[in-house]
Amino acid sequence: MNGLTLDWSVVWQHREQLVAATGTTIMLTIATMAIAVPCGMIVAALRLYAWAPVRAAATAYVELFRNVPLILVVFWAFYVLPIWTGLGLSPLATGLAALSLNVTAYNAETFRAGLNSIRRGQVEAAMALGMSRTQALRRVIIPQALRRVLPVLASTWVSLFKDTSLVSVIAVTELAYVAMQVRAQTFRVLEMLTAMAAIYWLLGYPQAKLADWIQRRYAVSE
Amino acid sequence: MDYSVITDHWRFLASGVVVTLALSLASGVSSIAAGFVVALGRMHGPRWLRAMIVLYIDSMRAIPVLVVLVWTFFALPIVAGITMAPFFAALIGLTVHLAAYAAEIFRAGIESVRPGQTRAALALGMSRAEILRRIVLPQAVVRMLPAFGSFLSVTIKDTAIASVIAVPEFMRQSETVQGQTFQPIEVYTFAMLVYFLLLFPVTRGVDLVYRRVAHLGRS
Amino acid sequence: MSAAREAKARAKAGGPKIIRYRGVIKRFGSFTALNGVELDVHAGEVVCLIGPSGSGKSTLLRCTNGLETIDGGDIEFEGALLPKDDRALRSVRTRMGMVFQSFELFPHLTAQQNVAEGPRTVQKVGQAEANRRASAMLAKVGLADKAPNFPSALSGGQQQRVAIARALAMEPDVMLFDEPTSALDPETIGEVLNVMKALAEEGMTMVVVTHEMTFARRVGDWVAVFDAGRIVEQGPPAQIFEAPATERTRDFLSHLGWSG
């Protein structure tokens, strides 16, 4: 290195801010999943079992949000949602809404694929016992589908954790935003950006490994 | 709602689309090439290399693209004592991040070809390199098509994040137009449409191709 | 076939008809899978359906409990036409037990839970009664000790026996077997066929689609030979296997290397 002076103490000095921001990141992840899992199930059910216009609408929703960049959805939500809903939403709420819209679409696809992957023979065996469609769903299909869906949900969680960084563009005080603010204030670019990367790494790495474990544990072999 | 703002600035916006496509293509190609090398290193390299590669791949699963891009553009020049154009920084950052994803697709694809195929080829007297080239890779390529369809989609979506480091791709150009004309709804709705029209055919197209050739990958 | 057994079979043939197939037609698009099937199944009879693959045997079975709907003709069960209404059809299904070629045990439930599932969820007999029946049926097929095991821990033959227990736990009036041993290793085929034989000896009405000619010969009371969606010949096993009346039957049996 050519005579640059590094001052890593900036990270320590701003630790309270960074910890709070990390908390926001974690909270955003949890809150988004708390919304997107049940909503994803509903949308998947609509796609599979509702009558035609509703099925089409649900499919359109899923295809739309899987085929536009999340960062654009964040911006779009920031400007459009207040007008559509008539509410003055905080950046945090807007960010949460954008993330939820996005992850719900992905989860809907996950649940739909999970439900469809159950062999037809299982449904027939249930029907041969005299079960109704609902009973077959509840007792035979969904318990099996849940097992298939769990590893994918874990993977979606890991991606979501990273995606929360994108709401920084609308000034939500999560980790990426706060780290970059501190950088701007203190001019300690290398230190702050490296610290930001390191914090994401420290939190994200174990989550990725956990997702791997879930994948191994619940992997379905036919 | 007044969509004339779009027509008024269409050239500016179109230039953004060109940059988006260029960045997508460039980072797609380079990350696939790099990913292939990384995958080979992981499957056939010495132990220390394999450990480092696994660390790299898992790190990219933990660190957001935004963070990698920002670090590459702002921090790397400090460390390396160079200056970097935004496009180039984005290209490097995206390649580093996406190569890990591509490497995993390659590894999964190659490992999914049944070991019986390799055994049969060995029995015929083929070398390992020949087997990889003539028997395993052709089948693996077919099996990997759907995953690479997703990969392409992710690549294009990630280029939009490059707007944060001022690359003049479509997202950034849209932001600029919106900032000048104060019509964010029209501009961003149009942007959603453009990206959708770009991405939807990509995944559908890959799906269609895959369905035609899927039988070639089944053993 | 021994004289005693022949006499027994003839007595059964005079009994009440549990299932009647009259001119049954089933099409899949432009392909006609069943082209006018006529067959009666009497109480306590073991009717075996044999014939080449794709001749419609399995399709007929699946039409019997409404898994497929027919396009022409009638199927009568215990004197009444098969209902079209979903609720009524489900009720009919509880009186028929079906065993599948691929077993189709529910992988997320233990053997005990698999067998208890029907009585519990469909017949709503209560947990205690469902468990009692499950234990009894598992013991009947010789797998009482495997009750707490998941299907993945059981061999193919064991899984199929659990599947039979699952169907029996519903206390059906007829058992439908769709190639029950086709997916099994040769060593385990015997254990399943023995269970089916014991069931037959107890007087259960059975319709069995099978390639096991020895079983059809020794346990069956009536054999129907299928070809291209029709029954080309039907009669007691003695006739079908020793003195077949039609060319098609002779061809089919010789292809199987059947030498009596």
Side-chain angles (χ1 to χ4, degrees), chain A residues 66-67 106 194 201 209 212, chain B residues 58-59 61 71 157 199:
Chain A
R66 287 178 67 213
N67 284 294
Y106 280 98
T194 307
W201 188 91
K209 282 314 188 188
D212 279 346
Chain B
D58 285 336
S59 300
R61 290 168 69 197
W71 197 92
K157 283 187 257 182
L199 287 162

Side-chain angles (χ1 to χ4, degrees), chain C residues 36-253:
Chain C
V37 173
E38 298 276 339
L39 179 64
D40 289 335
V41 178
H42 300 88
E45 259 188 341
V46 177
V47 175
C48 293
L49 310 181
I50 66 175
S53 299
S55 52
K57 324 185 288 292
S58 289
T59 307
L60 186 71
L61 217 62
R62 293 154 62 85
C63 291
T64 309
N65 71 348
L67 287 179
E68 304 278 1
T69 46
I70 57 178
D71 297 310
D74 292 319
I75 300 181
E76 265 181 35
F77 176 64
E78 293 180 342
L81 287 178
L82 272 189
K84 291 213 170 56
D85 165 60
D86 195 52
R87 235 215 189 106
L89 186 56
R90 275 186 269 134
S91 170
V92 163
R93 284 182 184 147
T94 61
R95 287 181 276 146
M96 301 183 190
M98 186 170 233
V99 177
F100 298 82
Q101 181 178 344
S102 51
F103 334 136
E104 298 302 345
L105 289 183
F106 304 133
H108 57 295
L109 303 176
T110 61
Q112 172 86 3
Q113 289 167 335
N114 258 281
V115 180
E117 183 62 19
R120 213 195 86 141
T121 302
V122 181
Q123 292 175 323
K124 303 204 194 314
V125 299
Q127 187 72 52
E129 169 67 8
N131 275 330
R132 187 199 64 78
R133 283 199 210 173
S135 304
M137 289 305 117
L138 280 173
K140 190 183 171 83
V141 300
L143 288 172
D145 58 323
K146 296 288 181 191
N149 290 76
F150 285 96
S152 53
L154 302 174
S155 74
Q158 290 170 331
Q159 288 187 53
Q160 193 62 302
R161 282 191 277 154
V162 174
I164 295 175
R166 181 175 65 178
L168 288 175
M170 302 289 283
E171 297 176 351
D173 298 326
V174 64
M175 286 285 281
L176 308 171
F177 292 87
D178 190 356
E179 298 203 34
T181 56
S182 294
L184 295 177
D185 291 332
E187 314 93 67
T188 50
I189 292 179
E191 67 195 54
V192 174
L193 290 179
N194 283 333
V195 168
M196 290 167 69
K197 180 159 180 276
L199 212 53
E201 275 158 16
E202 286 169 18
M204 172 63 79
T205 312
M206 293 162 56
V207 183
V208 185
V209 174
T210 185
H211 292 295
E212 294 293 327
M213 297 303 149
T214 317
F215 177 84
R217 179 77 182 79
R218 296 221 187 107
V219 182
D221 296 309
W222 193 257
V223 176
V225 184
F226 273 74
D227 188 45
R230 317 192 81 130
I231 296 179
V232 296
E233 190 174 343
Q234 52 178 301
Q239 173 201 319
I240 300 293
F241 290 107
E242 274 139 43
T246 61
E247 189 75 36
R248 287 303 291 122
T249 311
R250 278 195 287 269
D251 273 343
F252 173 63
L253 291 176

Side-chain angles (χ1 to χ4, degrees), chain B residues 56-70:
Chain B
Y56 155 66
I57 292 179
D58 285 336
S59 300
M60 289 301 123
R61 290 168 69 197
I63 303 178
V65 183
L66 175 69
V67 172
V68 172
L69 286 177
V70 164

